[in-house]
Amino acid sequence: MKGTFVIAVLVGLVAISSATVYFSEKFDKGWEDRWVHSDAKKSEGSQGEWKWTAGKFHSADNEEEEKGIQTSPDARFYQTSAKTQQFSNKGKDLVLQYSVKHEQGIDCGGGYIKILPSGLNQKSFGGDSTYNVMFGPDICGSTRKTHFILTKDGVNHLVKREIRTETDEFTHLYTLILHPDNTYEVQIDGKEAQKGSLKEDFEILKSKEIKDPSASKPEDWVNEKTIADPEDKKPEGYDDIPETIPDPDATKPDDWEDELDGEWERPTIANPEYKGEWSAKQIPNPAYKGEWVHPMVPNPEFVDRDDLYLFEDNNFVGFELWQVKSGTIFDNIIVTDDLAEAQKFAELTTKAQKGEKDAHDAHEKVEAEKRAAEEEKNKANEAADEDDDEEEEKESKENKETEEKEDKDEL
């Protein structure tokens, strides 16, 4: 029994020690030494900058630890990247996680992160730079989703499923997990937002089946679901009913003169008895066998693959964004092969979220008290103004009475 316990402990220790963190970033002091800002848009005058800040709301006693990098100013491109341990995720989970805070109330802009292969020129990092994975929120007008793109054989493939995103002004944690069984999961704030199969939810593989090229719809195939009832006959006199009739309510104008204006005729109106051109009623077509369905056959070009999850060469993480309204803060990035490691790292974000909420609630309370005090002040001023008006009216009345009395005395 004791030996079994020792083995279990050793297995647990091996599992813990086998976890690898390829990259982690808390954006603490010295972060700029680890990141390289791109100059790709500098010559165009549209290159954005990165600020180091915890934002408007944060823990009162933990501001330094809660700082991240923030996009600035508005209507710019923002590109920056950092080198990771070079790794392959062969036979392992790939976990990418980071936090996003759109404290500006974003209206149009990206908030996604990329994993890139070796060979990246960080100073010219831009939209044309090859990447392996792109993941994170994207918001613009009615488009509000979490992007998830994989690059395979030089082609970027967007997930076909919709993945929700968060649009408020608070910090949210985004987690992507790629499994070696070619499945994936997306979490937001630690809760499942979407999951599925890389084979089914991406158009990376060719279709297993195609329409049989040798098959075609028979020429005598009946397409009509219904036909005219051969026993339905047009009612006698149906065609004698006119489309319009003289208006029975019309009367000749009093000033109408037949000699000058001609013989008066009633204007016509739509005939309520007229039912339009006659057509036989429709009945089910006994020859109709349904819509013709093109038969499917195996696709000779289909090749199954079990490596859709796999990226042999990963060496950088980076943000490559455009935002109309800047102010998004990114923080607490981790790339690892173990979800447990990411969950442990997520405690930093959970702590920051609590501090952020407490600070926001305290601010709202102060603002509410200010508004209440201002309302009371305005009410007091209005009451004082009313008292002044009443006093002036009373004084005016007394003056008038005095003047009237003096006028009487003089008489």
Side-chain angles (χ1 to χ4, degrees), residues 31-51:
W31 70 273
E32 287 187 297
D33 296 335
R34 301 183 290 273
W35 289 77
V36 176
H37 302 324
S38 173
D39 293 330
K41 296 293 182 178
K42 194 172 183 178
S43 62
E44 299 177 8
S46 57
Q47 188 72 58
E49 298 177 354
W50 296 91
K51 293 181 179 180

Side-chain angles (χ1 to χ4, degrees), residues 151-174:
T151 300
K152 285 291 174 182
D153 304 319
V155 179
N156 300 330
H157 298 275
L158 175 65
V159 68
K160 293 186 289 185
R161 287 193 178 191
E162 283 294 315
I163 306 176
R164 70 174 182 84
T165 195
E166 297 292 341
T167 60
D168 59 35
E169 301 174 13
F170 297 102
T171 298
H172 294 284
L173 189 70
Y174 289 81

Side-chain angles (χ1 to χ4, degrees), residues 261-397:
D261 300 321
E263 185 179 353
W264 180 79
E265 296 181 355
R266 294 177 183 274
T268 59
I269 59 172
N271 185 356
E273 301 296 324
Y274 181 74
K275 299 177 181 178
E277 186 177 347
W278 184 85
S279 61
K281 67 180 181 180
Q282 296 289 302
I283 60 172
N285 187 352
Y288 179 69
K289 299 176 182 179
E291 291 186 18
W292 185 76
V293 179
H294 203 127
M296 305 296 286
V297 295
N299 184 357
E301 296 184 2
F302 172 75
V303 178
D304 197 9
R305 293 173 59 177
D306 292 324
D307 64 346
L308 301 188
Y309 79 97
L310 176 60
F311 294 95
E312 291 282 13
D313 177 24
N314 304 280
N315 205 194
F316 294 89
V317 294
F319 295 102
E320 186 275 311
L321 312 168
W322 161 264
Q323 291 186 346
V324 174
K325 194 175 181 181
S326 67
T328 302
I329 300 174
F330 303 99
D331 200 4
N332 296 330
I333 307 167
I334 186 170
V335 183
T336 178
D337 62 2
D338 187 0
L339 180 58
E341 283 290 334
Q343 290 171 336
K344 183 179 178 181
F345 199 71
E347 292 173 7
L348 293 169
T349 300
T350 302
K351 185 178 179 182
Q353 287 174 321
K354 183 181 184 306
E356 174 185 59
K357 185 179 185 305
D358 290 345
H360 175 267
D361 291 350
H363 172 77
E364 289 297 300
K365 183 179 179 182
V366 170
E367 290 300 308
E369 289 172 350
K370 284 182 180 178
R371 289 192 295 270
E374 188 67 25
E375 287 176 7
E376 286 298 321
K377 182 180 177 181
N378 291 337
K379 287 180 181 178
N381 289 338
E382 288 174 3
D385 290 342
E386 288 178 2
D387 290 343
D388 290 342
D389 291 343
E390 289 177 2
E391 188 64 32
E392 288 178 4
E393 185 178 347
K394 181 181 179 182
E395 185 177 343
S396 175
K397 184 178 180 182

